[in-house]
Amino acid sequence: MSDHNPNPDPTSPDPIARPVGGTEYSWCKAVPVGTGITVLALLLTKPPNLPLLQTALHNLQNSHPILRTKLHSDPATSSYSFLTPPSPHLQIQPFDLPSTAAILRPHSAVSPFRQILEHELNLNTWRHPDPTPDSDVFFAASYALSKSQWAFILRLHTSACDRAAAAALLKELLGLIKAGGGLGTERELKENGEVISALEDLIPNGKANKPFWARGVDMLGYSLNSFRLSNLEFKDVSLEKTSQMVKLRISPEHTDKLLAGCKSRGIKLCGVLAAAGLIAAHASKHLPDHQWEKYAVVTLLDCRSLLDPPLSANDFGFYHSAIMNSHDINGENTLWELAKRCYTTLLDSKSSNKHFTDMSDLNFLMCKAIENPGLTPSSSMRTAFISVFEDLVMDDSSEVHQELGLEDYEGCASVHGVGPSLAIFDSIRDGGLNCACIYPSPLHSREQMQDLMDHMKSILVEAVNLES
C-alpha cells in the first residue's frame, strides 16, 4: 500500500526497518513465554512437492513483506522492530518417517497429525534467541506421518499474522499450489517492500481518545475486577505449561439451525459460543444452581475495515483488538438468554469504541501479567476464562482440497503463556461448525477440556433441537 510511509528502494541490500506498535510489542513479550505462536497445519494424502511449495512460499513472502521480516530486539532499550530483507529466504525443513517418529508419542490416543500440530504450537523459536538479536517470523516444515499421510506446517509469530491474515494466507497458498507455485516464477516484490503501519497508527483520529482520569479508573477497574473472576479448576500449577488442542464439531444440520437462531435474535455466533462455555464451566464445578460466579470473556475483533485507510485481510499483520467483558452466571441461565446478554454487552462496548480506547490498557496489563505472574490466580497467568472471535471463518473450498490431496487442516495459536483457559478458533467447513479449542496443559487436563467441549456441544445441540 503505497500511501503508508515512503521508503528507500527495496533493491538495496539494507533491510527496511519499522518499530513495532503497541499491540505488536505486547505480542513480542507474550510469544517468548508461550502465547502467540500461530500454526497452520495441513494434512495431506499426497507427498508434498517441496520445490513447488518453496516457490509458493517465496511468492507469498514477496507479496506480503511482513512474512519475510526478521524481528529485531534491542535489549539495551527493551524495544523491537521489524527488519525487512530485500528478498525471501524461508527454507522448508523436511522430516522423514524416522525423524517424525522420534517426535510422535507411540500408543497415544491423539492422532499423529494432532501430535505434530501440538509439537509446532510449542516449538518456540523466539524463546531462546540466537546470539544475534534477529529472528524470523515465518517458518515451514514437512513431516512424513506414514507412507500415505504427510503434514505440512506453517508457523508464524502472531505479531506478523492474526487469524484473518492466517485464513487469507491459507487460501492464497492453496491457490498458488494449484497454479504450480505461481507458474514456476517468483513474483515481483510488492510495491516498495515495506511492512504496513502498525494498528495504533491507523486508528481514525479521535477514536482512541480517553481522558487521563478515565484511563486510570478503567485500569483500576480491570485490575480489581480480575480478583473477583472465577476460573476453571486448575489441575497442575507447578509444571511447565504447553498448549494442547481439543475439538468441537457440530453437524451441518445443527449448524444451520444454530446460525438461524443467531440471525433471528440479531446476534453473532461468538455470543453463543461464549455462553455455552460459561454454562459448561459453571456446571463442571457442580455448584448449587443459585450460586453465582463471575467469568471473563475476551472477544477479538478484526479492525481492518475500521482503520484509516481501511485494510483488507490480504494486508497481513496483527490488526485485531480485544474487548474484555465479565458476566455473572448461575446454574439457571439458558443458552439463548445468556448468548443475547454476552453479545449485547459486546455491542455496547464496541459502540463506545472500547476496542480502540482500551487497547493500550489491555496491552499494558497483559505485559504486567507476563512480568509478574503472581498477580494472577495461582501464578497461572490466566487473564480470562474464554476467548472468542467476533466473526466466523467461512470455508467452502472442499473441491480444491480434494484436488490437492488436502484431507484436513487446522489454524490456531498457542495460549500457554498469558491468556485464557480456553481459546476458540471457529470456522464453518462444508456447512458444519468446526472449532479448534486451545488450552494450557497441565494447568488443565485433556480429559477435563474434552469433557467441557462435549458439554458445550450438548448445550448447543439441545438448544437448537428445542426450537425445531
Side-chain angles (χ1 to χ4, degrees), residues 141-287:
S142 171
Y143 295 85
L145 304 179
S146 69
K147 292 183 178 179
S148 60
Q149 285 190 327
W150 294 262
F152 184 66
I153 311 290
L154 303 180
R155 179 165 44 89
L156 304 103
H157 195 287
T158 292
S159 68
C161 187
D162 59 19
R163 189 177 77 143
L169 170 59
L170 176 61
K171 184 176 181 179
E172 190 170 344
L173 174 63
L174 294 178
L176 286 170
I177 295 171
K178 187 178 180 182
L183 303 180
T185 61
E186 292 189 0
R187 296 177 178 175
E188 296 290 328
L189 290 177
K190 184 175 181 180
E191 298 182 359
N192 51 27
E194 185 184 9
V195 173
I196 298 170
S197 298
L199 169 58
E200 288 80 1
D201 297 331
L202 301 178
I203 296 174
N205 190 36
K207 289 287 187 180
N209 290 350
K210 182 193 283 190
F212 178 79
W213 64 269
R215 189 170 301 280
V217 168
D218 285 349
M219 288 283 284
L220 183 62
Y222 279 126
S223 300
L224 293 177
N225 201 37
S226 67
F227 292 108
R228 298 196 295 268
L229 295 175
S230 297
N231 291 280
L232 282 182
E233 178 189 355
F234 296 148
K235 297 296 184 180
D236 191 321
V237 299
S238 60
L239 293 179
E240 184 175 356
K241 294 185 283 291
T242 61
S243 286
Q244 292 184 349
M245 180 178 77
V246 291
K247 295 286 294 184
L248 190 161
R249 287 192 179 99
I250 295 180
S251 70
E253 178 187 1
H254 286 123
T255 299
D256 284 343
K257 293 178 180 178
L258 194 59
L259 295 177
C262 290
K263 185 176 181 180
S264 68
R265 293 170 173 82
I267 65 177
K268 290 185 177 181
L269 188 63
C270 60
V272 180
L273 291 175
L278 293 172
I279 293 171
H282 188 278
S284 72
K285 298 183 179 181
H286 307 290
L287 301 170

Side-chain angles (χ1 to χ4, degrees), residues 11 38 65 81 108 162 175 202 226 260 356 448:
T11 61
T38 295
S81 57
S108 172
D162 59 19
L202 301 178
S226 67
F356 289 142
Q448 176 191 22

Side-chain angles (χ1 to χ4, degrees), residues 37 46 58 61 105 141 168 171 312 340 344 354 402 420 458:
I37 302 168
K46 298 178 181 178
H58 283 179
Q61 287 190 303
R105 301 184 301 276
K171 184 176 181 179
S312 74
K340 182 76 172 180
T344 300
K354 279 190 170 291
Q402 292 172 7
S458 69

Side-chain angles (χ1 to χ4, degrees), residues 266-324:
I267 65 177
K268 290 185 177 181
L269 188 63
C270 60
V272 180
L273 291 175
L278 293 172
I279 293 171
H282 188 278
S284 72
K285 298 183 179 181
H286 307 290
L287 301 170
D289 283 350
H290 65 270
Q291 185 167 331
W292 292 86
E293 288 196 303
K294 183 187 292 289
Y295 289 93
V297 175
V298 171
T299 307
L300 293 160
L301 297 77
D302 183 3
C303 295
R304 285 174 172 79
S305 64
L306 308 175
L307 301 178
D308 183 20
L311 303 180
S312 74
N314 287 320
D315 293 306
F316 289 8
F318 193 90
Y319 295 100
H320 276 67
S321 65
I323 288 179
M324 180 183 286

Side-chain angles (χ1 to χ4, degrees), residues 64-200:
H64 305 282
I66 198 164
L67 295 183
R68 66 176 190 271
T69 59
K70 290 181 177 290
L71 191 61
H72 174 77
S73 62
D74 185 348
T77 59
S78 298
S79 63
Y80 297 88
S81 57
F82 290 123
L83 299 180
T84 310
S87 58
H89 52 274
L90 181 148
Q91 296 295 316
I92 299 171
Q93 185 175 9
F95 292 85
D96 58 15
L97 277 169
S99 301
T100 303
I103 296 170
L104 298 176
R105 301 184 301 276
H107 313 300
S108 172
V110 179
S111 71
F113 177 59
R114 184 85 60 85
Q115 289 187 55
I116 291 299
L117 167 64
E118 292 181 355
H119 168 72
E120 286 277 344
L121 278 174
N122 297 291
L123 194 57
N124 199 337
T125 310
W126 303 279
R127 183 171 186 177
H128 301 292
D130 296 328
T132 57
D134 302 337
S135 57
D136 291 330
V137 301
F138 189 22
F139 298 86
S142 171
Y143 295 85
L145 304 179
S146 69
K147 292 183 178 179
S148 60
Q149 285 190 327
W150 294 262
F152 184 66
I153 311 290
L154 303 180
R155 179 165 44 89
L156 304 103
H157 195 287
T158 292
S159 68
C161 187
D162 59 19
R163 189 177 77 143
L169 170 59
L170 176 61
K171 184 176 181 179
E172 190 170 344
L173 174 63
L174 294 178
L176 286 170
I177 295 171
K178 187 178 180 182
L183 303 180
T185 61
E186 292 189 0
R187 296 177 178 175
E188 296 290 328
L189 290 177
K190 184 175 181 180
E191 298 182 359
N192 51 27
E194 185 184 9
V195 173
I196 298 170
S197 298
L199 169 58
E200 288 80 1

